Amino acid sequence: MRKRIVAGNWKMNKTYEEAMALVSEVVNMVKDEVVGETEVVLCPPSVFLTSLKQYVPAGGRIALGAQNCHEKASGAYTGEVSAAMLQSIGVQYVILGHSERRQYFNETTAQLAEKVNAALANGLTPIFCCGESLEMHERGDYVGFVKEQITQSLFHLSPEQFASIVIAYEPIWAIGTGLTASSQQAQDMHLALRQHLASHYGDEVAQNTPILYGGSANAQNAAELFAQPDVDGGLIGGASLKSRDFTTVIKANK
Ligand code: PEP
C-alpha cells in the first residue's frame, strides 16, 4: 500500500517565536488527536529547520521537509542551501518545482531534474510539484502539459530511484486563491498522472507512488478530496499555518 502524506508548506511565513509555537502545537495535537498511518511533513523556511527538529519526536509520524534545495553539491552559490546540508540536519523531504519557484525564480524542467538528482543522491525524498495555469486550464490542453512536466524532470530516473518520489499535483489557479479543484477534477488528474507513470515504469511503480493534491485544500474540503482513490494526501499551504486547521486536514487523510 502506498504512503499517505500530508505536508505543510509554510512558505515565507512566521518569525522564530511564531514558528516554534506552531510546531509545538502541531506536535501536541498530532500526538493527542490523530490516529492512523498518515505521515506528516512540516516544511518551514529552512532557517527554522534545525530549531524545529528539537520539537519533533525522533522516529514518530512527523518528518521535516525543506521548500527547495540547490542542484549543485557545494560551492560559490551565495544564498543557496544544498541537499547534503539538509540531509546533515535530519531533513527527510524537499519540495521541488513549486509553481512559485518556477514563476519567481525561473526554475526550468531541466534544472528541476538536476535538483531531483541532488535530493535523491543525498537520501531526501522529493515532493515534486506539477500543475497548470488558469490560462492553460481554460484552453483545455492541461493534462498533456502536466504529464510533460513529469516526463521532463523525472523520467530519467530508474524505477528504483522513482520509488523515492512523491508527486504533488497543484493546479496553479487553485494555489492561495480559495478556488479548489473539485474532488472529481483532482481524481481525474491524479488517475491520468498515475497512468502516465504506468506507461513509463509499469503498474507497480505507478501504484506505489503517492500523488498529493495541493491548492486551497483546507479543513472544510480535505475529507472529500482525500476520499478519492488516487489522492493520497495533500500539500497544504495556507491551512498549514494554523495548528487546528492543519490537524483537521491531517485527520481527514484516512
Ligand atoms: C501550496 O502553495 O503548495 C499550496 C497548496 O498553497 P494553498 O494551500 O495556500 O493553496
Side-chain angles (χ1 to χ4, degrees):
M1 235 186 41
R2 53 186 177 259
K3 231 182 204 178
R4 297 194 69 87
I5 298 170
V6 173
N9 176 11
W10 294 6
K11 310 193 185 186
M12 196 174 74
N13 290 298
K14 304 288 179 192
T15 61
Y16 176 80
E17 280 79 15
E18 291 166 348
M20 297 313 119
L22 178 55
V23 66
S24 61
E25 285 167 22
V26 171
V27 167
N28 282 327
M29 287 183 188
V30 166
K31 181 168 56 130
D32 295 339
E33 299 182 25
V34 178
V35 290
E37 293 301 320
T38 295
E39 172 137 82
V40 178
V41 186
L42 299 180
C43 305
S46 59
V47 68
F48 298 143
L49 279 163
T50 307
S51 305
L52 239 74
K53 196 170 170 235
Q54 295 160 23
Y55 290 81
V56 175
R61 67 165 69 225
I62 302 181
L64 290 179
Q67 298 174 13
N68 179 36
C69 70
H70 198 266
E71 60 271 27
K72 296 283 192 269
S74 63
Y77 301 100
T78 301
E80 292 292 332
V81 171
S82 74
M85 291 171 191
L86 296 172
Q87 191 276 337
S88 72
I89 58 165
V91 170
Q92 288 165 262
Y93 289 83
V94 59
I95 299 171
L96 292 176
H98 192 282
S99 58
E100 289 151 15
R101 301 271 337 157
R102 294 181 195 253
Q103 182 181 351
Y104 303 129
F105 301 93
N106 302 317
E107 291 189 354
T108 63
T109 52
Q111 184 184 13
L112 288 170
E114 289 184 49
K115 288 189 181 217
V116 166
N117 293 345
L120 291 176
N122 287 283
L124 301 177
T125 298
I127 301 176
F128 180 80
C129 301
C130 53
E132 79 284 4
S133 66
L134 181 61
E135 191 197 350
M136 232 172 259
H137 190 82
E138 286 174 344
R139 270 206 320 258
D141 54 358
Y142 58 95
V143 179
F145 173 81
V146 178
K147 284 182 183 174
E148 198 51 30
Q149 286 182 316
I150 289 177
T151 302
Q152 290 185 17
S153 299
L154 297 178
F155 276 10
H156 62 287
L157 299 174
S158 69
E160 292 71 29
Q161 289 175 308
F162 209 92
S164 300
I165 297 291
V166 173
I167 289 176
Y169 168 57
E170 299 208 301
I172 299 170
W173 48 271
I175 296 180
T177 59
L179 294 173
T180 318
S182 69
S183 52
Q184 192 57 53
Q185 281 175 317
Q187 168 57 23
D188 290 349
M189 180 59 107
H190 285 222
L191 178 60
L193 298 182
R194 206 176 295 291
Q195 286 167 343
H196 187 49
L197 304 188
S199 72
H200 189 75
Y201 288 107
D203 276 342
E204 195 182 329
V205 168
Q207 287 306 325
N208 287 333
T209 303
I211 306 182
L212 315 183
Y213 169 78
S216 297
N218 58 37
Q220 285 72 45
N221 60 27
E224 194 185 331
L225 286 161
F226 296 167
Q228 301 307 308
D230 286 286
V231 177
D232 305 312
L235 178 54
I236 314 298
S240 72
L241 297 173
K242 292 194 181 132
S243 53
R244 174 62 58 200
D245 288 356
F246 190 51
T247 311
T248 305
V249 172
I250 297 165
K251 284 198 281 187
N253 190 31
K254 298 196 187 97

